[in-house]
Amino acid sequence: MLQLLFLVLFAIVSFLTTRFMIGNLIALARSQNRPPQRHPKNIHPELLDEDGNLTDEPLWVLRTDDIEAARSRLDALYRDERPDDDLQASV
């Protein structure tokens, strides 16, 4: 009796899995046929340039020579010291 119940449950799960897989394949095919949208609907204004186009530049970049210089600058910011003093001393 338990084996029959297991067989029926396995058949139901197999049917549902196949149904969801086919539905996802159909949805994927429909989404590939659509033209791509130019801008997302809700975009933050700081990501746009003066003309309203998306910026294509990195928004936050920390460039340093080595890790120790970056750590000292971050420590100076954390301690509310002027990071410019560290820059003048290292140059």
Side-chain angles (χ1 to χ4, degrees):
M1 182 67 186
L2 191 59
Q3 294 167 345
L4 184 62
L5 180 65
F6 178 75
L7 186 63
V8 169
L9 289 176
F10 183 78
I12 292 171
V13 169
S14 300
F15 173 74
L16 290 175
T17 303
T18 306
R19 181 174 159 242
F20 288 136
M21 182 181 65
I22 292 172
N24 286 336
L25 287 174
I26 291 171
L28 179 65
R30 286 182 185 165
S31 68
Q32 288 181 349
N33 290 337
R34 288 188 210 150
Q37 292 181 350
R38 184 166 181 205
H39 295 299
K41 292 180 182 176
N42 297 328
I43 190 163
H44 198 276
E46 290 182 0
L47 297 176
L48 302 175
D49 61 2
E50 296 84 19
D51 300 327
N53 299 322
L54 286 172
T55 57
D56 192 24
E57 59 188 31
L59 300 176
W60 182 276
V61 177
L62 177 65
R63 295 186 179 131
T64 62
D65 294 332
D66 60 350
I67 293 176
E68 292 303 320
R71 285 184 182 161
S72 66
R73 289 179 192 158
L74 289 174
D75 288 340
L77 286 173
Y78 181 73
R79 292 188 307 256
D80 283 333
E81 294 177 5
R82 291 191 48 182
D84 295 337
D85 296 339
D86 293 338
L87 289 175
Q88 296 296 335
S90 65
V91 175

